């Protein structure tokens, strides 16, 4: 699955209705152009494609006061809401996706009810633990005969390391959520800004 779909749907959803420039600004503010394929051309293409697929509803607005062409605003359709939530749940549980998918999912974590977010992360942990068992059972080099594997054995060690570190991170996030971190869906109003007030954006000016 593509992270750009989740990012664009999520950015539009946060505003309720947004045009392409707003979506681009949001994603660049989050640094998504650095860690995903959310480049300007990809963002505008995704908006048009998602509208064609019935996931976004387009609205043409009046021309800008500066004399520019009318901007098209978008909002999620019912199908778009279903797709967004499906992508979000997939991003938090799938362990065979690229890192940008998980990163995008974490960015929209607060759009889930607390209990569901915790359950999805626990599902991720279980999948990582099972993958680790699979690697160590069938693929990890026997320490008594490392010369039979050579440098290829480092691949399996990398897999085990990534599984361990990924599970450790997810357990920490579960603990923080169980302790009441963040304002989750259904728990009250929150702003659309990603960074807390006064926090410096590391991507500003890039």
């Amino acid at each position: 699955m593509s992270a750009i779909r989740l990012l664009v749907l999520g950015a539009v959803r946060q505003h309720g209705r947004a045009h392409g420039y707003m979506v681009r600004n949001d994603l660049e503010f989050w640094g998504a152009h650095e860690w995903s394929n959310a480049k300007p051309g990809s963002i505008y293409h995704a908006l048009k494609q998602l509208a064609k697929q019935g996931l976004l509803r387009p609205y043409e607005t009046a021309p800008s006061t500066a004399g520019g062409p009318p901007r098209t605003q978008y909002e999620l359709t019912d199908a778009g809401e279903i797709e967004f939530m499906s992508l979000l749940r997939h991003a938090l549980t799938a362990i065979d996706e690229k890192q940008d998918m998980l990163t995008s999912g974490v960015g929209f974590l607060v759009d889930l009810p607390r209990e569901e977010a915790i359950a999805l992360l626990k599902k991720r942990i279980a999948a990582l633990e099972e993958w680790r068992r699979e690697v160590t059972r069938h693929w990890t080099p026997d320490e008594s005969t490392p010369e039979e594997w050579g440098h290829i054995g480092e691949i399996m060690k990398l897999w085990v390391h990534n599984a361990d570190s990924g599970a450790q991170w997810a357990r920490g996030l579960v603990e923080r959520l169980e302790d009441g971190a963040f304002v989750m869906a259904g728990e009250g109003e929150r702003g659309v800004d990603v960074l807390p007030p006064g926090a410096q954006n590391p991507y500003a000016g890039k």
Side-chain angles (χ1 to χ4, degrees):
M1 293 189 179
S2 171
I4 189 70
R5 289 171 67 86
L6 175 56
L7 287 168
V8 170
L9 286 171
V12 172
R13 185 178 186 272
Q14 285 200 131
H15 289 284
R17 187 181 289 190
H19 53 70
Y21 187 70
M22 292 169 64
V23 172
R24 174 184 170 182
N25 272 359
D26 278 359
L27 297 185
E28 288 184 350
F29 181 70
W30 303 346
H33 58 298
E34 297 284 345
W35 48 260
S36 78
N37 62 341
K39 305 299 189 288
S42 299
I43 292 169
Y44 290 109
H45 177 73
L47 285 165
K48 292 178 181 178
Q49 287 300 112
L50 291 166
K52 285 182 180 178
Q53 294 166 9
L55 304 178
L56 291 177
R57 182 179 295 110
Y59 296 89
E60 190 171 276
T61 60
S64 69
T65 55
R71 281 179 171 164
T72 300
Q73 290 191 334
Y74 300 88
E75 67 180 10
L76 265 67
T77 62
D78 290 343
E81 176 71 15
I82 292 170
E83 176 72 359
F84 169 75
M85 297 305 297
S86 176
L87 287 169
L88 177 53
R89 292 171 180 127
H90 176 81
L92 293 175
T93 54
I95 64 172
D96 56 351
E97 292 282 2
K98 293 180 179 179
Q99 193 68 22
D100 62 351
M101 196 68 184
L102 174 60
T103 305
S104 302
V106 174
F108 296 113
L109 178 74
V110 294
D111 290 328
L112 292 166
R114 186 174 301 274
E115 291 304 315
E116 182 178 6
I118 290 171
L120 291 171
L121 289 165
K122 287 183 175 179
K123 184 177 178 181
R124 181 179 193 86
I125 294 167
L128 287 167
E129 291 174 341
E130 177 56 32
W131 168 238
R132 189 192 195 284
R133 285 192 293 270
E134 182 74 11
V135 172
T136 55
R137 185 183 306 119
H138 299 293
W139 299 103
T140 303
D142 184 346
E143 292 296 336
S144 65
T145 58
E147 66 280 356
E148 294 183 10
W149 289 80
H151 71 282
I152 298 302
E154 296 299 328
I155 295 174
M156 292 68 177
K157 293 177 182 178
L158 174 63
W159 289 348
V160 170
H161 171 79
N162 287 345
D164 287 342
S165 61
Q168 181 181 11
W169 165 80
R171 290 189 196 99
L173 180 51
V174 166
E175 183 177 341
R176 290 187 289 278
L177 288 170
E178 289 176 338
D179 287 342
F182 318 124
V183 178
M184 305 296 288
E187 296 181 352
E189 295 295 324
R190 64 173 184 271
V192 299
D193 294 333
V194 174
L195 299 175
Q200 185 176 2
N201 176 13
Y203 295 99
K206 285 197 172 185

